[in-house]
Amino acid sequence: MAAPRWRAAWRNGWWAAAHALPSPNCNARPAGDAGRVRLIVVHSISLPPGVFGGSEVAQLFTNSLDWDAHPYFAGIRGLQVSAHFFIRRDGALWQFVSCDERAWHAGASAWRGRSGCNDFSIGIELEGLEGGAFEAAQYEALARVCTGIARRYRIEGIAGHEHIAPGRKHDPGAGFDWQRLRRALGWAAGRFPPSDETVSGCDAAAQHRTKL
């Protein structure tokens, strides 16, 4: 019997539909169930904030950003972060880290009582300003990649960075339409963050760490 078509779309955690640009900012997930992928985390990012279409986000994730190119970069100088995927305003999809590996996107975080979301999540960055609106092409690309991820991994939920690091992070923010994404995916409501509460559980010490 031939393997399902979706299996051919994945190779060692890399999705064929994305443009691959490997980042050095990653490491191995924990062994066993602790490192099993079960969560998708949605973020937003733009560099400098509110500026779209440049290469700065990719440069940040690949440790090639010119820290002197803009005054804002002085405040993040030396930061080493990454995400698994990045979706540009036009819907173009980039992948920086294999989904089988741990990207450095969540920082101090917790979801459903489990801390350290980097261990068991896949991070997706949307090009955008925290609290701002996102493009139709981005929602379409996000739905496609989430569907692809859920076919490969046993995803139990999806949340924003703001939900897994409440008070510390606020993205993607009020401009992100969770109901639109839910309709596009057709997933049950229980897999999405409640609209009137956030996920808690970070220990006090972890709240002081400031990874993106």
Side-chain angles (χ1 to χ4, degrees), residues 69-144:
H70 190 277
Y72 176 81
F73 299 158
I76 60 171
R77 183 182 293 271
L79 189 67
Q80 293 185 330
V81 293
S82 62
H84 293 92
F85 294 99
F86 174 53
I87 301 176
R88 307 200 65 150
R89 303 294 287 184
D90 62 1
L93 179 66
W94 292 66
Q95 184 171 1
F96 292 89
V97 176
S98 163
C99 292
D100 292 343
E101 294 187 294
R102 176 169 54 190
W104 302 345
H105 63 97
S109 54
W111 180 74
R112 296 183 181 176
R114 291 195 56 187
S115 62
C117 293
N118 280 341
D119 290 347
F120 56 89
S121 69
I122 290 173
I124 303 175
E125 293 274 6
L126 301 177
E127 185 177 30
L129 190 62
E130 181 182 288
F134 297 89
E135 301 291 341
Q138 292 181 287
Y139 285 103
E140 293 167 5
L142 180 59
R144 285 195 300 272

Side-chain angles (χ1 to χ4, degrees), residues 13-27:
W14 293 90
W15 199 39
H19 176 79
L21 185 61
S23 168
N25 301 330
C26 60
N27 56 1

Side-chain angles (χ1 to χ4, degrees), residues 40-77:
I40 296 171
V41 180
V42 179
H43 306 255
S44 64
I45 188 172
S46 56
L47 288 177
V51 176
F52 307 141
S55 59
E56 287 82 0
V57 173
Q59 291 170 3
L60 176 66
F61 290 167
T62 55
N63 297 343
S64 58
L65 182 64
D66 179 359
W67 305 113
D68 298 317
H70 190 277
Y72 176 81
F73 299 158
I76 60 171
R77 183 182 293 271

Side-chain angles (χ1 to χ4, degrees), residues 151-198:
R151 286 173 175 165
R152 172 66 179 81
Y153 303 91
R154 292 187 292 169
I155 297 299
E156 298 173 7
I158 182 169
H161 203 181
E162 61 196 306
H163 302 110
I164 64 169
R168 187 177 70 83
K169 292 296 179 180
H170 306 281
D171 60 302
F176 184 78
D177 191 341
W178 285 100
Q179 290 301 317
R180 180 174 183 166
L181 179 61
R182 181 185 166 190
R183 290 193 299 270
L185 291 173
W187 295 357
R191 300 173 79 176
F192 291 84
S195 59
D196 59 349
E197 61 185 64
T198 55

